[in-house]
Amino acid sequence: QVQLVESGGGVVQPGRSLRLSCAASGFTFNHYAIHWVRQAPGKGLEWVAVISHDDSKKEYVDSVKGRFTISRDNSRNTVYLEMRSLSAGDTAVYYCARDRDYGLGSYYFAHWGQGTLVTVSS
Amino acid sequence: DIQMTQSPSSVSASVGDRVTITCRASQGIRNWLAWYQQKPGKAPKLLIYAASSLQSGVPSRFSASESGTDFALTITSLQPEDFATYYCQQANRFPWTFGQGTKVEIK
């Protein structure tokens, strides 16, 4: 079955960087767009970034543009989220999620990982 | 950005009750709307996509409808496992945005 496993979270000081990974299995990885969605403690969901199935398209929410970079390695079935210049406002559980539909996608999040917690604190 | 406004923010209900949650988009999104269920400490789960299509494996007591920029999720005959927080999400235009959530609590 579809499985997504995030890793790389932890406690990081403001201004520092962190890279999250999302390892996928159970489906043809290079057929699907992958998203990152975050949830600050006790708050709602915020979509962060998406990378298309073929790596041709990337989109970001304005609050992370220029600081976060999404990438994928289709040979390793893994998506990455490189996060720079972190601030307290980036503290959240970060989920990776697979698009519901293959190819161009539908931008519905049909499969989710368990999440990884990023805490930005001095 | 498209704003998604859910109401109510919380609702208390009993097992067997019918519950309806609404979501209003700040502009037209056609039928590009999804509903998710999230339980504490867990990832969200897709329930409904394309405004009213039931995701595979989701019980038929969940249904949804649309009317212009207003959308509704209905749970008929609430079950113990349905107590959770529900979010709507628009998929019409970047950035994809969620409603603030509706918590369904046990009365």
Side-chain angles (χ1 to χ4, degrees), chain A residues 21-89:
Chain A
S21 300
C22 170
S25 60
F27 63 98
T28 304
F29 183 70
N30 62 7
H31 284 190
Y32 291 88
I34 302 291
H35 304 259
W36 287 96
V37 177
R38 67 184 179 182
Q39 187 170 35
K43 301 297 184 182
L45 300 167
E46 180 183 37
W47 172 81
V48 173
V50 63
I51 185 165
S52 62
H53 68 292
D54 60 359
D55 203 6
S56 64
K57 185 176 181 180
K58 303 173 185 180
E59 296 282 355
Y60 303 89
V61 69
D62 280 351
S63 60
V64 309
K65 278 181 184 175
R67 299 190 300 121
F68 289 15
T69 302
I70 191 171
S71 61
R72 67 190 295 158
D73 183 342
N74 284 347
S75 68
R76 296 177 181 269
N77 285 10
T78 301
V79 169
Y80 304 97
L81 187 67
E82 186 78 37
M83 304 184 295
R84 298 182 294 274
S85 301
L86 287 162
S87 67

Side-chain angles (χ1 to χ4, degrees), chain A residues 35 37 39 43-47 50 57 59-62 95 100-101 105-115, chain B residues 1 31-34 36 38 41-46 48-51 55 87 89 91 94-100:
Chain A
H35 304 259
V37 177
Q39 187 170 35
K43 301 297 184 182
L45 300 167
E46 180 183 37
W47 172 81
V50 63
K57 185 176 181 180
E59 296 282 355
Y60 303 89
V61 69
D62 280 351
Y95 295 100
R100 182 185 180 278
D101 297 303
S106 57
Y107 309 118
Y108 300 123
F109 316 124
H111 301 276
W112 298 65
Q114 83 288 352
Chain B
D1 297 359
N31 69 336
W32 289 98
L33 185 106
Y36 299 86
Q38 186 179 33
K42 300 294 187 181
K45 173 185 175 183
L46 178 64
I48 300 284
Y49 65 97
Q55 173 69 354
Y87 294 94
Q89 174 240 332
F94 285 118
W96 316 134
T97 47
F98 292 87
Q100 78 279 16

Side-chain angles (χ1 to χ4, degrees), chain B residues 2-96:
Chain B
I2 297 175
Q3 306 302 316
M4 306 300 294
T5 303
Q6 285 183 237
S7 61
S9 55
S10 66
V11 57
S12 294
S14 301
V15 172
D17 284 354
R18 176 188 179 97
V19 171
T20 297
I21 299 165
T22 63
C23 178
R24 173 169 289 177
S26 61
Q27 58 186 271
I29 60 171
R30 295 180 288 171
N31 69 336
W32 289 98
L33 185 106
W35 289 97
Y36 299 86
Q37 175 194 67
Q38 186 179 33
K39 297 180 180 180
K42 300 294 187 181
K45 173 185 175 183
L46 178 64
L47 301 175
I48 300 284
Y49 65 97
S52 59
S53 296
L54 198 66
Q55 173 69 354
S56 176
V58 174
S60 59
R61 62 181 180 272
F62 291 92
S63 64
S65 62
E66 62 173 300
S67 177
T69 57
D70 292 333
F71 300 83
L73 173 71
T74 297
I75 312 169
T76 56
S77 189
L78 200 64
Q79 297 300 299
E81 60 268 30
D82 300 335
F83 292 96
T85 299
Y86 293 83
Y87 294 94
C88 62
Q89 174 240 332
Q90 65 83 16
N92 183 64
R93 184 176 302 176
F94 285 118
W96 316 134

